[in-house]
Amino acid sequence: MRGTQQPTSPPAAYTPTDRTVPTRSPQRASYDKDLVHAILDEGYVCHLGFVRDGAPVVLPTLYGRIGERLYVHGSTGSRPMRMSDASDPGLAVCLTVTHVDGLVLARSAFHHSINYRSVVVHGIAHQVTDPAERQTALDALVDQVVPGRSRDSRPANKKELAATAVIRLDLDEVSAKVRTGGVSDEPEDLALPHWAGVIPVRKEYGAPQADADLSPGIALPDYLGSL
Amino acid sequence: MRGTQQPTSPPAAYTPTDRTVPTRSPQRASYDKDLVHAILDEGYVCHLGFVRDGAPVVLPTLYGRIGERLYVHGSTGSRPMRMSDASDPGLAVCLTVTHVDGLVLARSAFHHSINYRSVVVHGIAHQVTDPAERQTALDALVDQVVPGRSRDSRPANKKELAATAVIRLDLDEVSAKVRTGGVSDEPEDLALPHWAGVIPVRKEYGAPQADADLSPGIALPDYLGSL
């Protein structure tokens, strides 16, 4: 290897590219892998963008992360799944995950903002054909929503697997963008007679609603208590 | 007008197109204007998709609705704003808004799902150049996040207006998609020993955190109590 040493651990950051360096508020951008993974792991719904007949399409869908790979699934008949068929060169996608953390109410309309954490992934999605990787990916999709759930459900049977397509997107061209903190009004606006501050926003879970057909004696699983 | 009567009220539904009829779960799609408006009005963050160098880009951003028009704003230097400049034929976009309402935990991995409401808007975004429409749009963007807030903040000054681009997207090619209700397992799975049901998901607001520089005597406005 021409005398080079292989690193003992993977690099801690993604390499910025022209597409992942924002033109606006670049100080909010980060390429830190731990931060990107944490933002991805807190969510389970992404917005997947692809191009159809030259125009953009953005659809909400579930995702799962395993290491440096994201997986998305869908009906084999759905458009992004057909367009990313293994016989093709793959499907150019942009996968975005956003968490809203707060409303930032400034004295000036201009400085109103949102506290948020987002991850944007650019790349080529490929269909997963290896049966073992497909199964691992489907488990990851279920566990992304409720960690531990895949072990407490019936795995997909042959018919269900045949109806499901899985695509993979490597975490390679990736950036996070984060806004935190308070109001940043202009100094000359601080004495204006408008309330200013931050309204925190968070996602809450309600009480589980058991299925009416639930067999007697099935207790609420422990893993639902830690959601 | 060749003898035709103008309708006294606008049509109650958007006309489906090839792009707005989903290939998957078409029974969940709706073109009802009231439903679309209600889903849009409950949110303020959208995912805006556009095409750059042939590849999709999906960015989270704020939006505001006035009637059958959506508005998005940004720095005049940001890519989608530059790409939709008034001298151009506009920018092909897809604007998607999604609310997650619940986790649907089926006995089978395959039937796991999400209760959600989403709206997908396809169209060409154009820069807004009329000063009055720009101001109305900027007010709508603030009021989309906190209704009533635009009247309780300093409007943008000339310098701020010059730094801000506003684009408009007409609600024309639009669909909503909604999943509600409980688990839909296969009959033969109902006796499996797995808990099944729905976990409600909702967005909550925390206690307002006043800015440290808030002038004495400024009370929390009433409109924040109804968030």
Side-chain angles (χ1 to χ4, degrees):
Chain A
M1 302 292 281
R2 303 179 67 182
T4 57
Q5 293 272 322
Q6 289 296 310
T8 52
S9 60
Y14 300 103
T15 304
T17 71
D18 181 47
R19 292 202 288 197
T20 62
V21 175
T23 50
R24 190 182 174 199
S25 305
Q27 77 284 0
R28 294 182 187 163
S30 168
Y31 307 91
D32 181 83
K33 287 193 175 186
D34 287 342
L35 176 64
V36 165
H37 293 174
I39 292 171
L40 291 172
D41 291 355
E42 196 176 314
Y44 45 83
V45 171
C46 66
H47 282 80
L48 182 72
F50 57 99
V51 179
R52 182 187 172 210
D53 298 336
V57 180
V58 178
L59 300 178
T61 191
L62 297 171
Y63 66 92
R65 180 178 79 88
I66 301 178
E68 295 298 327
R69 292 176 167 182
L70 294 184
Y71 293 97
V72 171
H73 73 332
S75 157
T76 50
S78 69
R79 285 201 183 94
M81 297 300 150
R82 281 189 281 127
M83 291 170 73
S84 63
D85 190 88
S87 61
D88 286 345
L91 178 67
V93 298
C94 182
L95 187 155
T96 300
V97 173
T98 305
H99 307 301
V100 174
D101 296 323
L103 315 180
V104 182
L105 305 189
R107 296 159 184 86
S108 58
F110 184 77
H111 283 297
H112 276 65
S113 190
I114 298 283
N115 282 339
Y116 67 93
R117 291 163 294 142
S118 65
V119 164
V120 176
V121 184
H122 300 269
I124 306 294
H126 294 278
Q127 286 241 2
V128 179
T129 54
D130 175 70
E133 186 179 359
R134 274 167 55 84
Q135 188 55 61
T136 309
L138 292 173
D139 288 349
L141 277 149
V142 169
D143 289 334
Q144 187 85 25
V145 182
V146 178
R149 178 67 184 176
S150 70
R151 289 189 302 276
D152 188 24
S153 55
R154 174 178 67 67
N157 57 33
K158 279 187 181 176
K159 182 183 162 196
E160 292 165 346
L161 285 171
T164 305
V166 177
I167 57 176
R168 183 181 70 221
L169 175 64
D170 290 340
L171 292 174
D172 181 30
E173 195 169 352
V174 185
S175 61
K177 210 168 172 189
V178 175
R179 190 204 189 278
T180 58
V183 169
S184 58
D185 265 317
E186 304 295 332
E188 61 267 30
D189 287 335
L190 292 181
L192 288 175
H194 307 304
W195 188 89
V198 174
I199 316 290
V201 178
R202 51 175 173 257
K203 199 171 273 185
E204 297 276 354
Y205 293 101
Q209 301 165 343
D211 184 37
D213 293 322
L214 198 67
S215 299
I218 299 187
L220 197 70
D222 286 343
Y223 54 75
L224 288 181
S226 55
L227 272 182
Chain B
M1 300 293 282
R2 303 179 67 180
T4 57
Q5 294 273 321
Q6 289 297 309
T8 52
S9 60
Y14 301 103
T15 304
T17 70
D18 181 47
R19 294 202 287 198
T20 62
V21 175
T23 51
R24 192 183 174 196
S25 306
Q27 78 284 0
R28 294 181 187 164
S30 169
Y31 307 92
D32 181 83
K33 288 192 175 187
D34 287 341
L35 176 64
V36 165
H37 293 172
I39 293 171
L40 290 172
D41 290 355
E42 196 176 314
Y44 44 82
V45 172
C46 66
H47 282 80
L48 182 73
F50 57 98
V51 179
R52 182 187 172 211
D53 297 335
V57 180
V58 179
L59 299 178
T61 192
L62 297 171
Y63 66 92
R65 180 178 80 87
I66 301 177
E68 295 297 328
R69 292 175 166 183
L70 295 184
Y71 293 96
V72 171
H73 72 332
S75 157
T76 50
S78 69
R79 285 201 184 92
M81 297 301 149
R82 280 189 282 128
M83 292 168 74
S84 62
D85 191 270
S87 60
D88 287 344
L91 178 67
V93 299
C94 181
L95 187 155
T96 300
V97 173
T98 305
H99 306 302
V100 174
D101 296 322
L103 315 180
V104 183
L105 306 189
R107 296 159 184 86
S108 58
F110 184 78
H111 283 297
H112 276 65
S113 190
I114 298 283
N115 281 339
Y116 66 95
R117 290 163 294 142
S118 65
V119 164
V120 176
V121 184
H122 300 269
I124 306 292
H126 293 278
Q127 287 242 1
V128 179
T129 53
D130 176 69
E133 186 179 359
R134 274 167 56 85
Q135 187 55 59
T136 309
L138 292 173
D139 288 348
L141 277 148
V142 168
D143 289 334
Q144 187 83 25
V145 182
V146 178
R149 178 67 184 177
S150 70
R151 289 189 304 275
D152 188 25
S153 55
R154 173 179 67 71
N157 58 33
K158 279 189 182 176
K159 181 183 162 195
E160 292 165 346
L161 284 171
T164 304
V166 177
I167 57 176
R168 183 182 71 220
L169 175 64
D170 290 342
L171 292 175
D172 180 30
E173 195 170 352
V174 185
S175 61
K177 211 168 172 189
V178 175
R179 190 204 189 277
T180 58
V183 168
S184 57
D185 265 316
E186 304 295 332
E188 61 267 29
D189 286 337
L190 292 181
L192 287 176
H194 307 303
W195 189 89
V198 174
I199 316 289
V201 177
R202 53 176 173 259
K203 198 171 274 186
E204 296 276 354
Y205 292 101
Q209 302 165 343
D211 183 38
D213 293 322
L214 197 67
S215 299
I218 298 187
L220 196 69
D222 286 343
Y223 55 75
L224 289 180
S226 56
L227 273 184

